[in-house]
mmCIF file of all heavy atoms in Angstrom:
data_model
loop_
_atom_site.group_PDB
_atom_site.id
_atom_site.type_symbol
_atom_site.label_atom_id
_atom_site.label_comp_id
_atom_site.label_asym_id
_atom_site.label_seq_id
_atom_site.Cartn_x
_atom_site.Cartn_y
_atom_site.Cartn_z
ATOM 1 N N ALA M 1 -6.028 45.529 26.856
ATOM 2 C CA ALA M 1 -6.638 44.575 27.778
ATOM 3 C C ALA M 1 -5.607 43.761 28.547
ATOM 4 O O ALA M 1 -5.959 43.118 29.539
ATOM 5 C CB ALA M 1 -7.575 43.637 27.019
ATOM 6 N N THR M 2 -4.370 43.764 28.113
ATOM 7 C CA THR M 2 -3.332 43.049 28.853
ATOM 8 C C THR M 2 -2.790 43.857 30.022
ATOM 9 O O THR M 2 -2.099 43.291 30.879
ATOM 10 C CB THR M 2 -2.159 42.693 27.920
ATOM 11 O OG1 THR M 2 -1.556 43.906 27.430
ATOM 12 C CG2 THR M 2 -2.635 41.858 26.744
ATOM 13 N N ASN M 3 -3.085 45.145 30.082
ATOM 14 C CA ASN M 3 -2.464 46.018 31.071
ATOM 15 C C ASN M 3 -3.518 46.521 32.066
ATOM 16 O O ASN M 3 -4.517 47.119 31.663
ATOM 17 C CB ASN M 3 -1.806 47.210 30.369
ATOM 18 C CG ASN M 3 -0.992 48.049 31.324
ATOM 19 O OD1 ASN M 3 -1.493 48.983 31.912
ATOM 20 N ND2 ASN M 3 0.272 47.699 31.479
ATOM 21 N N PRO M 4 -3.312 46.309 33.363
ATOM 22 C CA PRO M 4 -4.320 46.756 34.344
ATOM 23 C C PRO M 4 -4.436 48.269 34.452
ATOM 24 O O PRO M 4 -5.522 48.790 34.705
ATOM 25 C CB PRO M 4 -3.826 46.133 35.657
ATOM 26 C CG PRO M 4 -2.378 45.852 35.442
ATOM 27 C CD PRO M 4 -2.216 45.561 33.989
ATOM 28 N N LEU M 5 -3.334 49.001 34.268
ATOM 29 C CA LEU M 5 -3.399 50.460 34.362
ATOM 30 C C LEU M 5 -4.245 51.050 33.240
ATOM 31 O O LEU M 5 -5.163 51.845 33.479
ATOM 32 C CB LEU M 5 -1.985 51.040 34.325
ATOM 33 C CG LEU M 5 -1.111 50.796 35.561
ATOM 34 C CD1 LEU M 5 0.308 51.282 35.299
ATOM 35 C CD2 LEU M 5 -1.692 51.503 36.770
ATOM 36 N N LEU M 6 -3.941 50.661 32.000
ATOM 37 C CA LEU M 6 -4.702 51.176 30.866
ATOM 38 C C LEU M 6 -6.150 50.698 30.905
ATOM 39 O O LEU M 6 -7.068 51.443 30.548
ATOM 40 C CB LEU M 6 -4.039 50.758 29.557
ATOM 41 C CG LEU M 6 -2.652 51.352 29.287
ATOM 42 C CD1 LEU M 6 -2.077 50.784 28.004
ATOM 43 C CD2 LEU M 6 -2.728 52.867 29.209
ATOM 44 N N THR M 7 -6.363 49.470 31.353
ATOM 45 C CA THR M 7 -7.730 48.968 31.458
ATOM 46 C C THR M 7 -8.527 49.764 32.483
ATOM 47 O O THR M 7 -9.701 50.091 32.260
ATOM 48 C CB THR M 7 -7.716 47.484 31.829
ATOM 49 O OG1 THR M 7 -7.033 46.741 30.815
ATOM 50 C CG2 THR M 7 -9.133 46.945 31.955
ATOM 51 N N GLY M 8 -7.903 50.082 33.611
ATOM 52 C CA GLY M 8 -8.606 50.858 34.624
ATOM 53 C C GLY M 8 -8.971 52.245 34.136
ATOM 54 O O GLY M 8 -10.103 52.713 34.337
ATOM 55 N N VAL M 9 -8.036 52.916 33.466
ATOM 56 C CA VAL M 9 -8.297 54.274 32.989
ATOM 57 C C VAL M 9 -9.377 54.275 31.904
ATOM 58 O O VAL M 9 -10.333 55.069 31.938
ATOM 59 C CB VAL M 9 -6.992 54.910 32.475
ATOM 60 C CG1 VAL M 9 -7.266 56.253 31.811
ATOM 61 C CG2 VAL M 9 -5.999 55.088 33.611
ATOM 62 N N THR M 10 -9.242 53.406 30.916
ATOM 63 C CA THR M 10 -10.212 53.377 29.825
ATOM 64 C C THR M 10 -11.576 52.860 30.280
ATOM 65 O O THR M 10 -12.614 53.310 29.770
ATOM 66 C CB THR M 10 -9.687 52.519 28.668
ATOM 67 O OG1 THR M 10 -9.304 51.214 29.177
ATOM 68 C CG2 THR M 10 -8.467 53.159 28.020
ATOM 69 N N SER M 11 -11.606 51.937 31.253
ATOM 70 C CA SER M 11 -12.891 51.468 31.777
ATOM 71 C C SER M 11 -13.608 52.588 32.516
ATOM 72 O O SER M 11 -14.838 52.753 32.378
ATOM 73 C CB SER M 11 -12.678 50.272 32.708
ATOM 74 O OG SER M 11 -12.133 49.171 32.019
ATOM 75 N N ALA M 12 -12.850 53.371 33.308
ATOM 76 C CA ALA M 12 -13.468 54.499 34.004
ATOM 77 C C ALA M 12 -14.018 55.521 33.015
ATOM 78 O O ALA M 12 -15.125 56.050 33.206
ATOM 79 C CB ALA M 12 -12.445 55.148 34.936
ATOM 80 N N ALA M 13 -13.263 55.780 31.945
ATOM 81 C CA ALA M 13 -13.754 56.725 30.933
ATOM 82 C C ALA M 13 -15.020 56.210 30.262
ATOM 83 O O ALA M 13 -15.959 56.979 30.006
ATOM 84 C CB ALA M 13 -12.663 56.972 29.890
ATOM 85 N N GLY M 14 -15.092 54.921 29.987
ATOM 86 C CA GLY M 14 -16.283 54.364 29.368
ATOM 87 C C GLY M 14 -17.493 54.384 30.285
ATOM 88 O O GLY M 14 -18.615 54.659 29.848
ATOM 89 N N LEU M 15 -17.271 54.116 31.584
ATOM 90 C CA LEU M 15 -18.390 54.143 32.530
ATOM 91 C C LEU M 15 -18.912 55.557 32.731
ATOM 92 O O LEU M 15 -20.125 55.771 32.845
ATOM 93 C CB LEU M 15 -17.937 53.546 33.869
ATOM 94 C CG LEU M 15 -17.669 52.040 33.879
ATOM 95 C CD1 LEU M 15 -17.063 51.612 35.200
ATOM 96 C CD2 LEU M 15 -18.958 51.264 33.620
ATOM 97 N N VAL M 16 -18.018 56.535 32.770
ATOM 98 C CA VAL M 16 -18.448 57.927 32.924
ATOM 99 C C VAL M 16 -19.258 58.379 31.709
ATOM 100 O O VAL M 16 -20.272 59.077 31.832
ATOM 101 C CB VAL M 16 -17.231 58.842 33.152
ATOM 102 C CG1 VAL M 16 -17.624 60.306 33.067
ATOM 103 C CG2 VAL M 16 -16.592 58.547 34.503
ATOM 104 N N ALA M 17 -18.816 57.973 30.520
ATOM 105 C CA ALA M 17 -19.526 58.364 29.300
ATOM 106 C C ALA M 17 -20.796 57.563 29.069
ATOM 107 O O ALA M 17 -21.567 57.887 28.152
ATOM 108 C CB ALA M 17 -18.591 58.208 28.098
ATOM 109 N N GLY M 18 -21.033 56.520 29.864
ATOM 110 C CA GLY M 18 -22.228 55.704 29.687
ATOM 111 C C GLY M 18 -22.193 54.826 28.458
ATOM 112 O O GLY M 18 -23.249 54.497 27.903
ATOM 113 N N ARG M 19 -21.003 54.403 28.041
ATOM 114 C CA ARG M 19 -20.906 53.557 26.852
ATOM 115 C C ARG M 19 -21.330 52.139 27.184
ATOM 116 O O ARG M 19 -21.100 51.645 28.291
ATOM 117 C CB ARG M 19 -19.465 53.565 26.321
ATOM 118 C CG ARG M 19 -19.005 54.954 25.919
ATOM 119 C CD ARG M 19 -17.514 55.022 25.677
ATOM 120 N NE ARG M 19 -17.129 54.534 24.358
ATOM 121 C CZ ARG M 19 -15.898 54.636 23.872
ATOM 122 N NH1 ARG M 19 -14.946 55.213 24.600
ATOM 123 N NH2 ARG M 19 -15.620 54.186 22.672
ATOM 124 N N PRO M 20 -21.972 51.444 26.251
ATOM 125 C CA PRO M 20 -22.414 50.061 26.511
ATOM 126 C C PRO M 20 -21.235 49.109 26.596
ATOM 127 O O PRO M 20 -20.096 49.445 26.261
ATOM 128 C CB PRO M 20 -23.311 49.749 25.308
ATOM 129 C CG PRO M 20 -22.822 50.657 24.236
ATOM 130 C CD PRO M 20 -22.356 51.911 24.915
ATOM 131 N N VAL M 21 -21.539 47.894 27.052
ATOM 132 C CA VAL M 21 -20.480 46.887 27.193
ATOM 133 C C VAL M 21 -19.956 46.468 25.822
ATOM 134 O O VAL M 21 -18.744 46.390 25.604
ATOM 135 C CB VAL M 21 -21.013 45.681 27.983
ATOM 136 C CG1 VAL M 21 -19.933 44.598 28.084
ATOM 137 C CG2 VAL M 21 -21.452 46.108 29.370
ATOM 138 N N ILE M 22 -20.844 46.214 24.896
ATOM 139 C CA ILE M 22 -20.476 45.844 23.527
ATOM 140 C C ILE M 22 -21.363 46.655 22.584
ATOM 141 O O ILE M 22 -22.582 46.703 22.761
ATOM 142 C CB ILE M 22 -20.657 44.335 23.264
ATOM 143 C CG1 ILE M 22 -19.795 43.504 24.216
ATOM 144 C CG2 ILE M 22 -20.310 43.992 21.828
ATOM 145 C CD1 ILE M 22 -20.000 42.011 24.086
ATOM 146 N N ALA M 23 -20.750 47.298 21.602
ATOM 147 C CA ALA M 23 -21.524 48.124 20.674
ATOM 148 C C ALA M 23 -20.712 48.353 19.414
ATOM 149 O O ALA M 23 -19.484 48.176 19.387
ATOM 150 C CB ALA M 23 -21.904 49.463 21.308
ATOM 151 N N LEU M 24 -21.403 48.749 18.373
ATOM 152 C CA LEU M 24 -20.778 49.208 17.138
ATOM 153 C C LEU M 24 -20.778 50.736 17.158
ATOM 154 O O LEU M 24 -21.829 51.361 17.269
ATOM 155 C CB LEU M 24 -21.524 48.697 15.914
ATOM 156 C CG LEU M 24 -21.309 47.230 15.527
ATOM 157 C CD1 LEU M 24 -22.222 46.843 14.372
ATOM 158 C CD2 LEU M 24 -19.844 46.976 15.164
ATOM 159 N N GLU M 25 -19.595 51.330 17.067
ATOM 160 C CA GLU M 25 -19.463 52.780 17.112
ATOM 161 C C GLU M 25 -18.910 53.268 15.784
ATOM 162 O O GLU M 25 -17.963 52.674 15.237
ATOM 163 C CB GLU M 25 -18.558 53.204 18.261
ATOM 164 C CG GLU M 25 -19.128 52.868 19.629
ATOM 165 C CD GLU M 25 -18.283 53.394 20.759
ATOM 166 O OE1 GLU M 25 -17.119 53.789 20.488
ATOM 167 O OE2 GLU M 25 -18.769 53.416 21.897
ATOM 168 N N ARG M 26 -19.489 54.353 15.302
ATOM 169 C CA ARG M 26 -19.103 54.891 14.002
ATOM 170 C C ARG M 26 -18.041 55.961 14.187
ATOM 171 O O ARG M 26 -18.252 56.965 14.863
ATOM 172 C CB ARG M 26 -20.304 55.469 13.273
ATOM 173 C CG ARG M 26 -20.002 55.876 11.834
ATOM 174 C CD ARG M 26 -21.261 56.277 11.104
ATOM 175 N NE ARG M 26 -20.990 56.531 9.696
ATOM 176 C CZ ARG M 26 -20.934 55.603 8.765
ATOM 177 N NH1 ARG M 26 -21.130 54.341 9.092
ATOM 178 N NH2 ARG M 26 -20.679 55.907 7.510
ATOM 179 N N VAL M 27 -16.875 55.725 13.597
ATOM 180 C CA VAL M 27 -15.777 56.694 13.593
ATOM 181 C C VAL M 27 -15.587 57.137 12.149
ATOM 182 O O VAL M 27 -15.156 56.342 11.298
ATOM 183 C CB VAL M 27 -14.488 56.079 14.155
ATOM 184 C CG1 VAL M 27 -13.345 57.073 14.083
ATOM 185 C CG2 VAL M 27 -14.700 55.619 15.592
ATOM 186 N N ALA M 28 -15.909 58.397 11.867
ATOM 187 C CA ALA M 28 -15.890 58.915 10.492
ATOM 188 C C ALA M 28 -16.823 58.048 9.650
ATOM 189 O O ALA M 28 -18.022 58.022 9.874
ATOM 190 C CB ALA M 28 -14.468 58.962 9.956
ATOM 191 N N ASN M 29 -16.285 57.290 8.707
ATOM 192 C CA ASN M 29 -17.135 56.455 7.856
ATOM 193 C C ASN M 29 -16.939 54.971 8.121
ATOM 194 O O ASN M 29 -17.279 54.138 7.291
ATOM 195 C CB ASN M 29 -16.836 56.746 6.378
ATOM 196 C CG ASN M 29 -15.400 56.373 6.026
ATOM 197 O OD1 ASN M 29 -14.548 56.291 6.905
ATOM 198 N ND2 ASN M 29 -15.143 56.169 4.742
#
């Protein structure tokens, strides 16, 4: 979140995938 480049890339990936703004996501267990 401190870096505009990484924020832009990861935000675009989240918007394309339709991920919510805030959520609990299960990774393995």
Side-chain angles (χ1 to χ4, degrees):
T2 63
N3 188 269
L5 290 173
L6 294 176
T7 299
V9 173
T10 53
S11 297
L15 290 173
V16 170
R19 299 168 81 172
V21 178
I22 300 176
L24 284 175
E25 295 185 346
R26 188 173 186 84
V27 177
N29 63 338

